[in-house]
Amino acid sequence: MAEELWVYVLLIGLAGFLSLGLSLFSYYKLQEAPGGRQYMIAALLSSVFTFAYIFELTSSTLKEVKFWLGAEYLVMPFIPGFLLWMCVKYAGIELRQRHLYLLFLPPIISVFTHHTNELHHLYYSSIRLRENTSLSTVELTYGPLFYVHALYLFLCLVTSIVLLLLQLKKAPFRFRMQIIMMVMGLFVPIAANYFYVNKYSHMGIDLGPVSMSLSFIFHGIALLSYQMFNVLPIAREKIFDSMREGVVVLDQRGAVLDYNQAMLTVVPELSQLSVGKAIHKVLHDQVLAGLICQGKECDYKCNQDGTVNHYQVRFSPVFRKNKEVIGTIITFMNISERVLLQDKLKKLASFDGLTNVYNRTYFMDSAESLLNSSVNGASLVLFDIDHFKQVNDTYGHEAGDIVLSQVASEAKSHLRADDLLGRYGGEEFIILLPETTIEEAFVIANQLRISIAASLIKVDRRPVQVTSSFGVSYIPGREEFTRERLKGVVGNADQALYHAKRNGRNNVQVFLEEDLVLNQGRLQ
């Protein structure tokens, strides 16, 4: 064997082992990753093709050359198809079964026509060994079907390149470098085949096997340096950016690495210029910056163009294989609808549905909380509608509901911002007047009594007039207030109310510790 041939055999052999090594690596590391299996198969086919070509180069007879050429053509026609399939998967596109049939139909035809070439000579017009050269390389005269295969190879590689370049503009910088590596890897076989088909290669040596291995070197660089199949940069456009939740990715120093489109609704100041900057320097909202610096799951409320939105902020650490934290994924989930629903449910649980005032339970809770604050004394008023049963019996329960609503509305119009009003039960209402003396409470209650008596409530176009009886008690603000003490004060107001009813109704009575003092405010 000529010394010059050994150089080529060694070079091609190294390329074959490289392809085999990359195939084995992807088998153990990338088998489940999108595009990983296609990469593994393409590298394996390239390795088989390369070793078969070594045997072709070292063959001494035309018969041996044809045998190994046939071995090459069992695998080589399928490599472009698997490379295209790999790039399609890499871009996040799924091919249907019929598309795969169409993709691999041309290489199947190439394999068949190549191995039946002796019958029709449409793939190679002639096959012979070169003369007057130091190497026994084969000289091929191409037939029309060979150019069909060459066109298929060219289209597969060019389509793969175009597919990747279309994603280049949308990808962040680190992903662009990765795509460029892949494009360079796909361009090398095109250049090598151009030189071989046009007979520009030295002494007819086919550099296709070497070019394929060089191609997988570029893919390997993207694989090892940029985590090609693990990061899925192109699928990011379809998955990451289409997420409803806002997502921002930070490195271990708190600098912005990436974000999706939904994040712009939360933090409009984010832009490509933000990448690489510390998140607290990007954010205008210092409250949000503080929450992110704490790194704990929390809720965030913000006003965006006059609309209040609520977000649940979640933090997910990103680990290396050695469990070292290399970054953080922060997710902003819009929970505005849930918060609104909770507010509605809270309102339903707190308010009386008919009169739209506090129900008894919520009133008692609110009153206890208010009395345990810095309130310096308060008065409590309990009142009900006189002869309310007669209203129901005369006009019906629907009319009674209207009366209750109108009386509650009248009571609300007489109260201050800090006063509490609740429906205590049936036709009975309760009022808490903080920072109000017993004398002031008497005046307020009497004004309300007069206003209710003077109101004409229309029920089916008929006027209905009702009166109310009131009991007032006082709450000193000296000691810690308990629910039992509150019930005691309510009981005192109830005694005063009972006394008002005993005294002809439509009047206000005040409960004092020494005695029950009756007022003279009853209308005649």
Side-chain angles (χ1 to χ4, degrees):
M1 187 184 297
E3 183 178 342
E4 191 174 5
L5 180 59
W6 275 111
V7 176
Y8 286 110
V9 169
L10 181 60
L11 179 63
I12 296 170
L14 288 174
F17 280 112
L18 177 62
S19 294
L20 182 61
L22 290 173
S23 178
L24 290 173
F25 177 84
S26 59
Y27 175 79
Y28 289 106
K29 298 293 185 180
L30 300 172
Q31 198 170 171
E32 299 302 323
R37 292 185 179 181
Q38 290 74 22
Y39 177 85
M40 176 190 70
I41 295 172
L44 179 62
L45 295 180
S46 176
S47 177
V48 173
F49 171 48
T50 302
F51 290 129
Y53 186 62
I54 291 175
F55 285 107
E56 178 194 328
L57 279 180
T58 55
S59 298
S60 57
T61 65
L62 184 59
K63 183 178 180 181
E64 291 177 355
V65 168
K66 288 183 178 180
F67 174 82
W68 291 112
L69 191 61
E72 295 167 29
Y73 265 84
L74 289 175
V75 294
M76 188 270 287
F78 295 95
I79 296 175
F82 277 102
L83 287 176
L84 176 56
W85 193 6
M86 176 191 74
C87 292
V88 168
K89 293 280 285 186
Y90 176 75
I93 302 171
E94 287 295 332
L95 292 180
R96 295 184 179 181
Q97 193 97 22
R98 63 174 179 268
H99 296 149
L100 293 177
Y101 290 149
L102 291 174
L103 179 61
F104 290 104
L105 180 61
I108 291 173
I109 294 173
S110 293
V111 171
F112 176 78
T113 54
H114 181 276
H115 286 84
T116 58
N117 187 68
E118 296 294 335
L119 301 176
H120 48 72
H121 297 286
L122 293 176
Y123 203 90
Y124 296 128
S125 299
S126 65
I127 304 174
R128 63 178 182 272
L129 293 178
R130 293 181 185 273
E131 298 177 355
N132 302 321
T133 62
S134 57
L135 302 180
S136 299
T137 54
V138 68
E139 184 176 2
L140 303 171
T141 303
Y142 306 124
L145 291 180
F146 174 85
Y147 290 105
V148 172
H149 164 71
L151 179 62
Y152 169 77
L153 184 147
F154 178 77
L155 288 176
C156 283
L157 296 180
V158 169
T159 303
S160 300
I161 291 173
V162 171
L163 188 62
L164 294 174
L165 290 178
L166 288 175
Q167 313 301 325
L168 193 61
K169 184 178 180 180
K170 298 179 284 186
F173 174 76
R174 66 189 185 283
F175 293 152
R176 291 178 186 175
M177 292 301 298
Q178 175 183 350
I179 294 171
I180 289 171
M181 284 290 180
M182 293 190 68
V183 170
M184 289 172 63
L186 293 168
F187 180 77
V188 171
I190 296 177
N193 277 277
Y194 172 81
F195 280 97
Y196 180 69
V197 170
N198 289 280
K199 304 184 185 300
Y200 295 148
S201 59
H202 181 58
M203 291 185 295
I205 297 291
D206 185 2
L207 295 178
V210 176
S211 70
M212 292 301 296
S213 297
L214 287 175
S215 172
F216 286 110
I217 288 177
F218 284 108
H219 296 326
I221 292 173
L223 173 71
L224 297 172
S225 302
Y226 298 95
Q227 298 179 332
M228 182 172 71
F229 294 112
N230 292 334
V231 179
L232 292 175
I234 311 303
R236 165 194 177 280
E237 187 69 26
K238 293 192 173 183
I239 300 174
F240 186 60
D241 278 348
S242 64
M243 292 174 64
R244 295 178 60 185
E245 296 83 8
V247 179
V248 61
V249 184
L250 309 181
D251 64 13
Q252 64 268 39
R253 299 169 300 168
V256 177
L257 287 179
D258 204 359
Y259 59 89
N260 66 352
Q261 290 299 311
M263 193 64 202
L264 295 178
T265 62
V266 186
V267 185
E269 55 265 33
L270 278 172
S271 68
Q272 286 296 323
L273 297 177
S274 304
V275 176
K277 294 182 180 179
I279 185 67
H280 66 272
K281 293 184 179 179
V282 175
L283 297 174
H284 296 162
D285 188 343
Q286 294 305 307
V287 174
L288 177 57
L291 293 175
I292 290 178
C293 289
Q294 291 177 9
K296 297 180 180 179
E297 183 173 320
C298 58
D299 291 339
Y300 169 62
K301 177 182 176 181
C302 65
N303 192 320
Q304 298 164 326
D305 299 327
T307 302
V308 177
N309 285 309
H310 299 262
Y311 296 91
Q312 185 179 60
V313 187
R314 295 179 178 178
F315 297 82
S316 302
V318 180
F319 298 97
R320 289 188 190 272
K321 291 183 179 179
N322 60 2
K323 304 300 182 182
E324 177 190 357
V325 177
I326 59 173
T328 305
I329 298 173
I330 307 176
T331 307
F332 288 75
M333 181 180 294
N334 194 321
I335 56 171
S336 301
E337 291 184 6
R338 190 175 77 187
V339 171
L340 289 175
L341 179 60
Q342 288 175 342
D343 290 343
K344 288 180 181 179
L345 292 174
K346 184 177 180 181
K347 184 175 181 180
L348 288 174
S350 306
F351 284 79
D352 175 63
L354 176 63
T355 59
N356 202 31
V357 299
Y358 291 142
N359 58 34
R360 178 172 178 167
T361 300
Y362 191 78
F363 177 89
M364 296 296 281
D365 290 339
S366 300
E368 184 180 359
S369 176
L370 181 62
L371 292 169
N372 276 314
S373 62
S374 58
V375 172
N376 184 25
S379 293
L380 190 136
V381 179
L382 196 66
F383 75 96
D384 70 1
I385 302 172
D386 297 331
H387 304 295
F388 183 70
K389 185 175 183 301
Q390 292 181 8
V391 175
N392 282 332
D393 293 343
T394 304
Y395 301 101
H397 289 281
E398 186 175 346
D401 291 344
I402 295 174
V403 170
L404 285 171
S405 297
Q406 290 295 325
V407 168
S409 178
E410 193 67 36
K412 283 192 286 188
S413 67
H414 281 73
L415 300 183
R416 301 161 300 185
D418 295 333
D419 298 338
L420 298 180
L421 170 64
R423 184 179 178 186
Y424 199 66
E427 70 274 20
E428 202 167 27
F429 295 87
I430 188 169
I431 302 172
L432 180 69
L433 305 169
E435 303 284 352
T436 305
T437 64
I438 195 77
E439 292 82 6
E440 293 170 334
F442 173 83
V443 172
I444 293 173
N446 200 45
Q447 289 175 344
L448 177 58
R449 177 189 65 79
I450 294 170
S451 178
I452 291 173
S455 299
L456 291 178
I457 303 170
K458 289 186 178 182
V459 177
D460 293 333
R461 299 182 181 178
R462 292 180 295 175
V464 176
Q465 187 174 24
V466 294
T467 60
S468 299
S469 300
F470 292 75
V472 182
S473 61
Y474 184 68
I475 307 169
R478 296 185 296 272
E479 304 173 6
E480 180 181 353
F481 219 83
T482 63
R483 180 60 60 90
E484 291 304 316
R485 282 196 65 203
L486 179 59
K487 288 181 179 178
V489 175
V490 173
N492 295 340
D494 191 43
Q495 287 189 45
L497 174 59
Y498 176 73
H499 207 91
K501 289 179 177 293
R502 290 281 302 273
N503 282 270
R505 294 181 170 83
N506 193 20
N507 67 92
V508 181
Q509 298 294 329
V510 176
F511 180 90
L512 296 177
E513 292 291 340
E514 303 83 14
D515 191 13
L516 191 63
V517 181
L518 308 182
N519 83 91
Q520 303 302 318
R522 182 168 65 89
L523 288 179
Q524 303 299 324

